[in-house]
Amino acid sequence: ADQMIGYIKEMRIRYGFRRFMLTAPSKEFRYTGFPDRSVFEAIGRDIVSVKKALAGVDVEIGWWCVTTIRIGKGPFQSIVRMNGSIANEACCPLDKNYQKTFSEHVATVVRIARPFWINFEDDYHLNGGCFCPLHLEEFARRQGKYYPREVLQELFNSNRPERFKLLETWGKLSRESLAELAASVRKAVDEIAPETRLCLCQSGASEREGNFTEIVTKAFAGKTRPAVRVRGASYFSDTPQDIPLSIFSTLWDRQTLPADFELIHESDTFPHTRFFISSSKLKTMMTAVLAYGLDDSLFYATQYLENPLEERGYCEMFLAEAKRFATLRSVAKKSRVEGCEIFRRPGTS
């Protein structure tokens, strides 16, 4: 812990970083089972200890909840895929008991630690769609007719005329079920610290599951400014040719999501050293998305190893480019993107 505190201080003093996210709980719970309240109490205590150790240092400490829906098997309804297989590690967001338990767990951390910001990992999705009894029953209520999973599977994979209307209705149910869980979390947090910012980390499945980014972001936000970390990373690639593809959806999101949304780029360099993605490529991507009008970057500055500052390539790049990034962001806010526009509907590309 002392070593981590030292790293944070150095990153603040040398490189100017001011906001830091502590990640927990471990994704191992997906395979060992749903974590109990004590796990989240420990997370809260860890955040408090870091904040105390950094008292007097101009930093803000947030929490990145890295297991949300794919959080491990518990006494809840698991997500059922279209083919009937069960995603045992994923909980259905329509399960009221899961909503209550997960919301209370998040509230536990807020009550103990008061993180200024909470990210919800991009496992916040339905694993391709949930066809569990809860979803099928709600779909039947909305349609006035019960469709067994097998029938929906056949219809959704067919060219029959009714397919498109059913898919539209199913997408609406999918996004509203995810928003219902987000609203439950927001309500629990509001009872303790309503100023806390809650931020969705957008999943690559967001468009295929009812295009849920906007409604879920609003549900998490409550009365605070809506914030979403939009996708736009390039994994295991250091070629410039894939940059337009990697950040195309980022531009689309800035053009189509409400103007008051705070959009944060996924400046993710997995596996987090410049020997897989160069500092130059990361700089190019960040320059482009700031020109698109994005507000900020969730910046993966360090490697995921015992010595995070052993390799400083990304940090040094940011130090050299920080003023240019800030200027570009300021100019972009007074401008609009122009040029050729590709016609596109969510879920079609």
Side-chain angles (χ1 to χ4, degrees):
D2 290 343
Q3 191 175 40
M4 180 178 69
I5 297 299
Y7 290 139
I8 292 175
K9 289 180 178 178
E10 182 176 355
M11 292 180 74
R12 176 69 183 107
I13 294 168
R14 176 169 174 75
Y15 300 111
F17 297 117
R18 184 169 172 272
R19 291 179 163 182
F20 297 85
M21 305 297 290
L22 303 184
T23 62
S26 170
K27 292 184 179 180
E28 292 178 359
F29 285 106
R30 292 176 180 173
Y31 313 105
T32 60
F34 193 91
D36 61 26
R37 183 187 296 270
S38 65
V39 172
F40 291 83
E41 290 172 342
I43 293 170
R45 291 193 295 270
D46 286 343
I47 295 173
V48 168
S49 67
V50 170
K51 291 173 75 171
K52 286 182 177 179
L54 292 168
V57 181
D58 182 25
V59 295
E60 290 184 288
I61 302 298
W63 170 41
W64 191 338
C65 182
V66 294
T67 50
T68 61
I69 287 176
R70 294 186 62 212
I71 193 171
K73 178 66 175 174
F76 317 113
Q77 172 64 57
S78 295
I79 283 180
V80 178
R81 303 183 184 93
M82 185 189 291
N83 64 7
S85 62
I86 299 175
N88 283 309
E89 80 285 0
C91 302
C92 173
L94 285 181
D95 186 314
K96 298 296 185 183
N97 191 25
Y98 164 63
Q99 288 181 15
K100 180 176 183 293
T101 304
F102 182 68
S103 300
E104 288 175 348
H105 283 357
V106 173
T108 294
V109 177
V110 173
R111 184 178 297 107
I112 294 171
R114 296 295 200 278
F116 82 99
W117 184 290
I118 302 175
N119 275 352
F120 293 93
E121 176 69 342
D122 56 16
D123 68 346
Y124 197 94
H125 60 78
L126 294 172
N127 283 252
C130 182
F131 294 77
C132 75
L134 295 174
H135 273 86
L136 294 179
E137 289 164 10
E138 176 59 20
F139 191 64
R141 187 188 69 80
R142 297 182 180 203
Q143 290 294 107
K145 176 183 176 180
Y146 181 79
Y147 290 85
R149 178 192 56 77
E150 296 84 355
V151 172
L152 289 176
Q153 182 179 21
E154 191 275 327
L155 282 169
F156 289 170
N157 290 318
S158 74
N159 291 319
R160 291 164 63 178
E162 63 266 39
R163 166 180 182 256
F164 302 101
K165 187 62 177 178
L166 286 173
L167 279 172
E168 182 179 345
T169 308
W170 185 262
K172 185 174 188 290
L173 170 59
S174 296
R175 64 177 174 264
E176 288 180 354
S177 66
L178 290 165
E180 185 176 317
L181 173 61
S184 173
V185 174
R186 180 75 251 177
K187 183 175 184 294
V189 171
D190 279 348
E191 292 175 356
I192 303 164
E195 72 280 4
T196 309
R197 303 281 302 277
L198 305 185
C199 175
L200 170 70
C201 289
Q202 181 190 52
S203 165
S206 59
E207 293 184 359
R208 297 189 300 275
E209 296 178 357
N211 198 28
F212 65 72
T213 299
E214 181 175 346
I215 188 174
V216 172
T217 299
K218 287 180 176 178
F220 270 132
K223 295 181 179 179
T224 67
R225 183 185 178 189
V228 54
R229 187 235 64 191
V230 292
R231 64 188 188 278
S234 177
Y235 291 168
F236 291 106
S237 168
D238 197 37
T239 63
Q241 289 88 346
D242 62 6
I243 291 177
L245 177 63
S246 297
I247 59 176
F248 177 79
S249 66
T250 314
L251 173 59
W252 172 264
D253 286 330
R254 180 65 287 173
Q255 290 178 317
T256 57
L257 289 172
D260 66 325
F261 274 33
E262 183 172 359
L263 265 59
I264 301 163
H265 178 243
E266 181 189 18
S267 304
D268 186 353
T269 54
F270 184 83
H272 313 305
T273 76
R274 65 189 174 102
F275 300 104
F276 291 89
I277 298 179
S278 67
S279 299
S280 294
K281 181 171 183 177
L282 183 59
K283 176 178 70 175
T284 300
M285 296 179 73
M286 292 174 67
T287 299
V289 298
L290 290 172
Y292 289 168
L294 264 67
D295 298 277
D296 216 326
S297 163
L298 182 61
F299 186 57
Y300 289 69
T302 61
Q303 62 187 13
Y304 277 19
L305 295 170
E306 289 79 4
N307 182 355
L309 287 180
E310 178 183 37
E311 167 45 52
R312 297 169 179 256
Y314 297 144
C315 295
E316 294 294 338
M317 180 277 289
F318 182 84
L319 181 63
E321 299 295 325
K323 289 184 179 179
R324 190 171 71 91
F325 285 158
T327 301
L328 179 59
R329 181 172 62 176
S330 176
V331 170
K333 291 300 178 187
K334 305 171 186 176
S335 309
R336 67 176 184 269
V337 177
E338 289 189 343
C340 297
E341 180 178 350
I342 300 173
F343 178 75
R344 176 175 182 268
R345 293 181 63 188
T348 62
S349 63

